[in-house]
Amino acid sequence: MLDAAAKSVFHMLARNARLKTMASKYGMRKPTSFARRFIAGETIGEAIAAARAIEAIGLMQTLDYLGESVASADEAAAATQEYLRVIDAVTGAGIGRNLSLKLTQLGMSVDRSYARDNLRRVLDTADGFFVRIDMESSPYTDLTFEVFETLWSEGYRHVGVVLQSELRRTDEDVRRMNELGARVRLVKGAYKEPESVAYQSKAEVDEAFVRQMQLLLLHGHYPAIATHDTRMIDAACRFTASHAITPDRFEFQMLYGIRRDLQMALVKQGYRVRIYVPFGREWFPYFMRRLGERPANVAFVLRSILSEAA
Ligand code: FDA
């Protein structure tokens, strides 16, 4: 996890329209272009090809049609429609049925009832799928739980949430979700959050992650431990072994293009590993969050731009 200052620089750059236009022009142009390391492609066809390659080597996948913070009901409706097409395409392709989505993509910042109704449409169509609601920045935490818990109370069970260890509230959310029987993905948290709501040091976030991971493994419902941090992963392996929690009762999750060596090493040891596969034209904010997590990625992008220019 990068320190808070650098994280906020990348979050600021992610909102820069000129940078976005430039990056969007060059980032996915060729198979070697820089954004392709983290993004499977711009089309559903490219995403399905990536998902097939992932499944062929013993990993599982979840597809994320990229998009967030849409500003109108029409855009939210279009994103929902696109998710319905993705569901069709995944079903037709015969690959694993697992999706990840963001509520601001379905209209949460326009009106929470749009997001809830749009998500309901997705869930009604997503027969045999599992749909994970990604967790966004802290102004959306309560709204996200509200939408999730409303749909849960209506009987939807093929939907789950994400909890972020960096937030001070998360111990309590873990307890609530465990009581509800909800499926949780645990992450450290990708957003720059103020001190009032979030731990600022890596040590505190890591400590919270281990604590919450243990609660989810003991009392949760098929939790997903989503991290590339070998110390967190080792802690999960040790904890499950010492508590006789078998590898079919949880899964590890990692992002497309990050620590492929570790993904395969875990599969070889008999663990379940799911890869989060983002695709679509709106890849810039996601891409900037990945740069913000690791400055070495900036050098990788610069090298790739220079080699394209040569
Ligand atoms: P940490 O940041 O400490 O990194 C540990 C090691 O992992 C690094 O030393 C490096 O080797 C490697 N690594 C991490 N990030 C890298 C990168 N970008 N490039 C190259 N190497 C990298 N967040 C959120 O707020 N809401 C969400 O819904 C989700 N969803 C989600 C799904 C899945 C499947 C994953 C894996 C992650 C998320 N995240 C997320 C992101 C998460 O919150 C977090 O920002 C990243 O996973 C990075 O944190 P790590 O746990 O990997 O640890």
Side-chain angles (χ1 to χ4, degrees), residues 1 37-38 134-135 162 164 185 187-191 202 226-229 253-255 258-259 276 290 293-294 297:
M1 192 179 64
R37 168 160 173 206
F38 301 114
D134 286 348
M135 191 58 86
V162 177
Q164 298 154 320
R185 173 200 291 156
V187 301
K188 289 191 186 178
Y191 298 86
K202 176 172 167 60
T227 179
H228 317 89
D229 188 336
Q253 294 191 350
M254 294 189 210
L255 300 176
I258 300 182
R259 293 301 312 260
Y276 182 104
R290 302 295 77 84
E293 279 155 4
R294 197 158 179 258
N297 288 338

Short mmCIF file of all heavy atoms in Angstrom, two decimals, residues 1 37-38 134-135 162 164 185 187-191 202 226-229 253-255 258-259 276 290 293-294 297, ligand 1:
data_model
loop_
_atom_site.label_atom_id
_atom_site.label_comp_id
_atom_site.label_asym_id
_atom_site.label_seq_id
_atom_site.Cartn_x
_atom_site.Cartn_y
_atom_site.Cartn_z
N MET A 1 0.85 -1.20 0.00
CA MET A 1 0.00 0.00 0.00
C MET A 1 0.88 1.24 0.00
O MET A 1 1.81 1.34 0.78
CB MET A 1 -0.87 -0.02 1.25
CG MET A 1 -1.97 0.99 1.19
SD MET A 1 -2.98 0.89 2.69
CE MET A 1 -1.79 1.36 3.92
N ARG A 37 -1.77 -4.11 -19.47
CA ARG A 37 -1.26 -4.94 -18.37
C ARG A 37 -2.36 -5.15 -17.31
O ARG A 37 -2.43 -6.20 -16.68
CB ARG A 37 -0.05 -4.26 -17.74
CG ARG A 37 0.30 -4.93 -16.46
CD ARG A 37 1.68 -4.74 -15.95
NE ARG A 37 1.76 -5.32 -14.61
CZ ARG A 37 2.59 -4.94 -13.70
NH1 ARG A 37 3.45 -3.98 -13.95
NH2 ARG A 37 2.61 -5.52 -12.52
N PHE A 38 -3.20 -4.13 -17.10
CA PHE A 38 -4.20 -4.22 -16.02
C PHE A 38 -5.63 -4.36 -16.53
O PHE A 38 -6.54 -4.64 -15.76
CB PHE A 38 -4.14 -2.96 -15.15
CG PHE A 38 -2.81 -2.73 -14.51
CD1 PHE A 38 -2.03 -1.63 -14.85
CD2 PHE A 38 -2.32 -3.62 -13.56
CE1 PHE A 38 -0.80 -1.42 -14.27
CE2 PHE A 38 -1.09 -3.41 -12.97
CZ PHE A 38 -0.32 -2.31 -13.33
N ASP A 134 -18.85 -3.85 -5.79
CA ASP A 134 -17.58 -3.26 -5.34
C ASP A 134 -17.88 -2.15 -4.33
O ASP A 134 -18.95 -1.53 -4.38
CB ASP A 134 -16.84 -2.63 -6.53
CG ASP A 134 -16.21 -3.68 -7.46
OD1 ASP A 134 -16.15 -4.86 -7.08
OD2 ASP A 134 -15.78 -3.28 -8.56
N MET A 135 -16.93 -1.89 -3.44
CA MET A 135 -17.12 -0.78 -2.51
C MET A 135 -16.32 0.42 -3.00
O MET A 135 -15.15 0.31 -3.32
CB MET A 135 -16.69 -1.17 -1.10
CG MET A 135 -17.10 -0.17 -0.05
SD MET A 135 -18.88 0.17 0.04
CE MET A 135 -19.44 -1.14 1.13
N VAL A 162 -18.33 -5.75 -0.53
CA VAL A 162 -16.89 -5.65 -0.29
C VAL A 162 -16.70 -4.81 0.98
O VAL A 162 -17.36 -3.78 1.15
CB VAL A 162 -16.18 -4.96 -1.48
CG1 VAL A 162 -14.70 -4.78 -1.19
CG2 VAL A 162 -16.39 -5.77 -2.76
N GLN A 164 -13.73 -2.78 3.35
CA GLN A 164 -12.39 -2.21 3.23
C GLN A 164 -11.74 -2.09 4.62
O GLN A 164 -12.23 -1.33 5.46
CB GLN A 164 -12.47 -0.82 2.59
CG GLN A 164 -13.05 -0.83 1.18
CD GLN A 164 -13.71 0.48 0.80
OE1 GLN A 164 -14.39 1.10 1.62
NE2 GLN A 164 -13.53 0.91 -0.44
N ARG A 185 -16.25 -9.82 0.27
CA ARG A 185 -14.87 -9.76 -0.22
C ARG A 185 -14.14 -8.75 0.67
O ARG A 185 -14.60 -7.61 0.81
CB ARG A 185 -14.84 -9.26 -1.67
CG ARG A 185 -13.41 -9.00 -2.18
CD ARG A 185 -13.39 -8.08 -3.40
NE ARG A 185 -13.95 -8.69 -4.59
CZ ARG A 185 -14.46 -7.97 -5.59
NH1 ARG A 185 -14.53 -6.64 -5.53
NH2 ARG A 185 -14.95 -8.58 -6.66
N VAL A 187 -10.97 -6.36 1.29
CA VAL A 187 -9.84 -5.69 0.63
C VAL A 187 -9.25 -4.67 1.61
O VAL A 187 -9.87 -4.34 2.62
CB VAL A 187 -10.27 -4.94 -0.66
CG1 VAL A 187 -10.91 -5.90 -1.67
CG2 VAL A 187 -11.23 -3.79 -0.35
N LYS A 188 -8.06 -4.16 1.27
CA LYS A 188 -7.49 -3.11 2.14
C LYS A 188 -8.20 -1.77 1.90
O LYS A 188 -8.37 -0.99 2.81
CB LYS A 188 -6.00 -2.98 1.87
CG LYS A 188 -5.19 -4.18 2.37
CD LYS A 188 -3.70 -3.88 2.33
CE LYS A 188 -2.91 -5.12 2.68
NZ LYS A 188 -1.45 -4.89 2.61
N GLY A 189 -8.58 -1.51 0.64
CA GLY A 189 -9.22 -0.23 0.32
C GLY A 189 -8.35 0.56 -0.64
O GLY A 189 -7.17 0.77 -0.38
N ALA A 190 -8.94 1.00 -1.75
CA ALA A 190 -8.17 1.63 -2.81
C ALA A 190 -8.31 3.16 -2.84
O ALA A 190 -7.67 3.82 -3.65
CB ALA A 190 -8.62 1.08 -4.16
N TYR A 191 -9.14 3.71 -1.95
CA TYR A 191 -9.43 5.15 -2.06
C TYR A 191 -8.69 5.93 -1.00
O TYR A 191 -8.41 5.43 0.09
CB TYR A 191 -10.95 5.38 -1.94
CG TYR A 191 -11.70 4.69 -3.06
CD1 TYR A 191 -12.08 3.35 -2.95
CD2 TYR A 191 -11.96 5.36 -4.25
CE1 TYR A 191 -12.73 2.70 -3.99
CE2 TYR A 191 -12.61 4.72 -5.29
CZ TYR A 191 -12.99 3.39 -5.16
OH TYR A 191 -13.62 2.76 -6.21
N LYS A 202 0.09 1.90 6.95
CA LYS A 202 0.00 0.53 6.41
C LYS A 202 -0.10 -0.47 7.55
O LYS A 202 -0.86 -1.45 7.47
CB LYS A 202 1.23 0.26 5.53
CG LYS A 202 1.27 -1.18 5.00
CD LYS A 202 2.37 -1.37 3.98
CE LYS A 202 2.64 -2.84 3.68
NZ LYS A 202 1.50 -3.57 3.14
N ALA A 226 -9.12 -10.77 -0.68
CA ALA A 226 -8.64 -10.14 -1.92
C ALA A 226 -7.42 -9.28 -1.64
O ALA A 226 -7.53 -8.14 -1.18
CB ALA A 226 -9.77 -9.32 -2.55
N THR A 227 -6.26 -9.82 -1.93
CA THR A 227 -5.01 -9.10 -1.68
C THR A 227 -3.88 -9.74 -2.46
O THR A 227 -3.96 -10.92 -2.82
CB THR A 227 -4.66 -9.11 -0.17
OG1 THR A 227 -3.43 -8.42 0.04
CG2 THR A 227 -4.54 -10.52 0.38
N HIS A 228 -2.82 -8.96 -2.72
CA HIS A 228 -1.60 -9.50 -3.33
C HIS A 228 -0.49 -9.52 -2.30
O HIS A 228 0.66 -9.78 -2.63
CB HIS A 228 -1.16 -8.62 -4.52
CG HIS A 228 -2.30 -8.21 -5.39
ND1 HIS A 228 -3.03 -7.06 -5.16
CD2 HIS A 228 -2.86 -8.82 -6.45
CE1 HIS A 228 -3.99 -6.98 -6.05
NE2 HIS A 228 -3.92 -8.04 -6.84
N ASP A 229 -0.81 -9.18 -1.09
CA ASP A 229 0.19 -9.04 -0.03
C ASP A 229 0.52 -10.43 0.54
O ASP A 229 -0.33 -11.06 1.18
CB ASP A 229 -0.39 -8.12 1.06
CG ASP A 229 0.65 -7.77 2.11
OD1 ASP A 229 1.62 -8.53 2.28
OD2 ASP A 229 0.48 -6.72 2.78
N GLN A 253 -8.62 -13.71 -3.95
CA GLN A 253 -8.90 -12.96 -5.18
C GLN A 253 -7.75 -12.00 -5.45
O GLN A 253 -7.18 -11.43 -4.51
CB GLN A 253 -10.22 -12.18 -5.05
CG GLN A 253 -11.44 -13.09 -4.93
CD GLN A 253 -12.75 -12.35 -5.06
OE1 GLN A 253 -12.79 -11.11 -5.06
NE2 GLN A 253 -13.84 -13.10 -5.18
N MET A 254 -7.42 -11.84 -6.72
CA MET A 254 -6.38 -10.87 -7.12
C MET A 254 -6.81 -10.16 -8.39
O MET A 254 -7.72 -10.62 -9.09
CB MET A 254 -5.04 -11.58 -7.34
CG MET A 254 -4.49 -12.17 -6.07
SD MET A 254 -2.80 -12.78 -6.26
CE MET A 254 -2.85 -14.09 -5.04
N LEU A 255 -6.13 -9.07 -8.67
CA LEU A 255 -6.49 -8.27 -9.85
C LEU A 255 -5.75 -8.77 -11.08
O LEU A 255 -4.59 -9.22 -10.99
CB LEU A 255 -6.15 -6.79 -9.60
CG LEU A 255 -6.86 -6.13 -8.41
CD1 LEU A 255 -6.37 -4.70 -8.22
CD2 LEU A 255 -8.38 -6.13 -8.61
N ILE A 258 -1.74 -8.57 -11.94
CA ILE A 258 -0.90 -8.32 -10.75
C ILE A 258 -0.53 -9.65 -10.07
O ILE A 258 -1.41 -10.45 -9.79
CB ILE A 258 -1.62 -7.38 -9.76
CG1 ILE A 258 -1.90 -6.03 -10.44
CG2 ILE A 258 -0.79 -7.18 -8.49
CD1 ILE A 258 -2.55 -5.00 -9.58
N ARG A 259 0.75 -9.84 -9.85
CA ARG A 259 1.30 -11.03 -9.16
C ARG A 259 0.78 -12.34 -9.75
O ARG A 259 0.27 -13.21 -9.03
CB ARG A 259 1.00 -10.95 -7.66
CG ARG A 259 1.73 -9.83 -6.92
CD ARG A 259 3.25 -9.91 -7.01
NE ARG A 259 3.85 -11.19 -6.73
CZ ARG A 259 4.41 -11.54 -5.57
NH1 ARG A 259 4.43 -10.69 -4.57
NH2 ARG A 259 4.98 -12.73 -5.44
N TYR A 276 -9.96 -10.81 -10.88
CA TYR A 276 -10.89 -9.71 -11.19
C TYR A 276 -10.48 -9.16 -12.55
O TYR A 276 -9.37 -8.62 -12.69
CB TYR A 276 -10.74 -8.69 -10.08
CG TYR A 276 -11.63 -7.48 -10.12
CD1 TYR A 276 -12.73 -7.39 -9.27
CD2 TYR A 276 -11.33 -6.38 -10.93
CE1 TYR A 276 -13.52 -6.25 -9.24
CE2 TYR A 276 -12.13 -5.25 -10.91
CZ TYR A 276 -13.22 -5.20 -10.07
OH TYR A 276 -13.99 -4.07 -10.04
N ARG A 290 -4.56 1.75 -9.84
CA ARG A 290 -3.49 0.72 -9.84
C ARG A 290 -2.11 1.39 -9.84
O ARG A 290 -1.20 0.92 -9.19
CB ARG A 290 -3.62 -0.21 -11.05
CG ARG A 290 -4.93 -0.94 -11.17
CD ARG A 290 -5.23 -1.93 -10.07
NE ARG A 290 -5.68 -1.48 -8.78
CZ ARG A 290 -6.93 -1.17 -8.43
NH1 ARG A 290 -7.90 -1.20 -9.29
NH2 ARG A 290 -7.22 -0.80 -7.19
N GLU A 293 -1.19 2.58 -6.37
CA GLU A 293 -0.83 1.57 -5.38
C GLU A 293 0.65 1.21 -5.42
O GLU A 293 1.18 0.64 -4.48
CB GLU A 293 -1.65 0.29 -5.63
CG GLU A 293 -3.03 0.37 -5.07
CD GLU A 293 -4.00 -0.55 -5.79
OE1 GLU A 293 -3.58 -1.31 -6.68
OE2 GLU A 293 -5.18 -0.50 -5.46
N ARG A 294 1.29 1.51 -6.56
CA ARG A 294 2.68 1.06 -6.69
C ARG A 294 3.43 1.96 -7.66
O ARG A 294 3.24 1.86 -8.87
CB ARG A 294 2.69 -0.38 -7.20
CG ARG A 294 4.00 -1.05 -6.97
CD ARG A 294 3.85 -2.56 -6.97
NE ARG A 294 5.16 -3.15 -6.78
CZ ARG A 294 5.89 -3.69 -7.75
NH1 ARG A 294 5.43 -3.71 -8.99
NH2 ARG A 294 7.06 -4.20 -7.49
N ASN A 297 4.89 1.04 -11.03
CA ASN A 297 4.03 0.91 -12.22
C ASN A 297 4.17 2.12 -13.14
O ASN A 297 3.93 2.02 -14.34
CB ASN A 297 2.56 0.77 -11.81
CG ASN A 297 2.29 -0.59 -11.19
OD1 ASN A 297 3.03 -1.53 -11.41
ND2 ASN A 297 1.22 -0.67 -10.41
P1 FDA B 1 -0.56 -3.78 -0.79
O1 FDA B 1 -1.06 -2.55 -1.42
O2 FDA B 1 0.07 -3.70 0.56
O3 FDA B 1 0.37 -4.52 -1.79
C1 FDA B 1 1.04 -5.75 -1.50
C2 FDA B 1 1.89 -6.15 -2.69
O4 FDA B 1 1.04 -6.45 -3.80
C3 FDA B 1 2.81 -5.04 -3.23
O5 FDA B 1 4.01 -5.02 -2.53
C4 FDA B 1 2.97 -5.46 -4.68
O6 FDA B 1 3.89 -6.53 -4.81
C5 FDA B 1 1.60 -5.99 -5.02
N1 FDA B 1 0.72 -4.94 -5.59
C6 FDA B 1 -0.32 -4.33 -4.98
N2 FDA B 1 -0.92 -3.44 -5.82
C7 FDA B 1 -0.21 -3.49 -6.96
C8 FDA B 1 -0.34 -2.81 -8.21
N3 FDA B 1 -1.29 -1.91 -8.43
N4 FDA B 1 0.57 -3.11 -9.18
C9 FDA B 1 1.55 -4.02 -8.98
N5 FDA B 1 1.71 -4.71 -7.82
C10 FDA B 1 0.84 -4.44 -6.83
N6 FDA B 1 -10.63 -1.75 -3.37
C11 FDA B 1 -11.75 -1.06 -3.01
O7 FDA B 1 -11.63 -0.03 -2.37
N7 FDA B 1 -13.00 -1.51 -3.38
C12 FDA B 1 -13.17 -2.69 -4.05
O8 FDA B 1 -14.31 -3.07 -4.34
C13 FDA B 1 -12.01 -3.44 -4.41
N8 FDA B 1 -12.11 -4.59 -5.11
C14 FDA B 1 -10.98 -5.39 -5.27
C15 FDA B 1 -11.10 -6.66 -5.83
C16 FDA B 1 -9.99 -7.48 -5.87
C17 FDA B 1 -10.15 -8.87 -6.44
C18 FDA B 1 -8.72 -7.04 -5.38
C19 FDA B 1 -7.52 -7.92 -5.39
C20 FDA B 1 -8.59 -5.76 -4.90
C21 FDA B 1 -9.71 -4.91 -4.85
N9 FDA B 1 -9.59 -3.63 -4.36
C22 FDA B 1 -10.74 -2.93 -4.04
C23 FDA B 1 -8.26 -2.98 -4.22
C24 FDA B 1 -7.68 -3.10 -2.84
O9 FDA B 1 -8.40 -2.31 -1.93
C25 FDA B 1 -6.20 -2.67 -2.80
O10 FDA B 1 -6.12 -1.33 -3.18
C26 FDA B 1 -5.28 -3.47 -3.71
O11 FDA B 1 -5.62 -4.83 -3.68
C27 FDA B 1 -3.81 -3.34 -3.24
O12 FDA B 1 -3.68 -3.79 -1.93
P2 FDA B 1 -3.03 -5.20 -1.50
O13 FDA B 1 -3.97 -5.87 -0.58
O14 FDA B 1 -2.64 -5.99 -2.68
O15 FDA B 1 -1.79 -4.83 -0.61
#
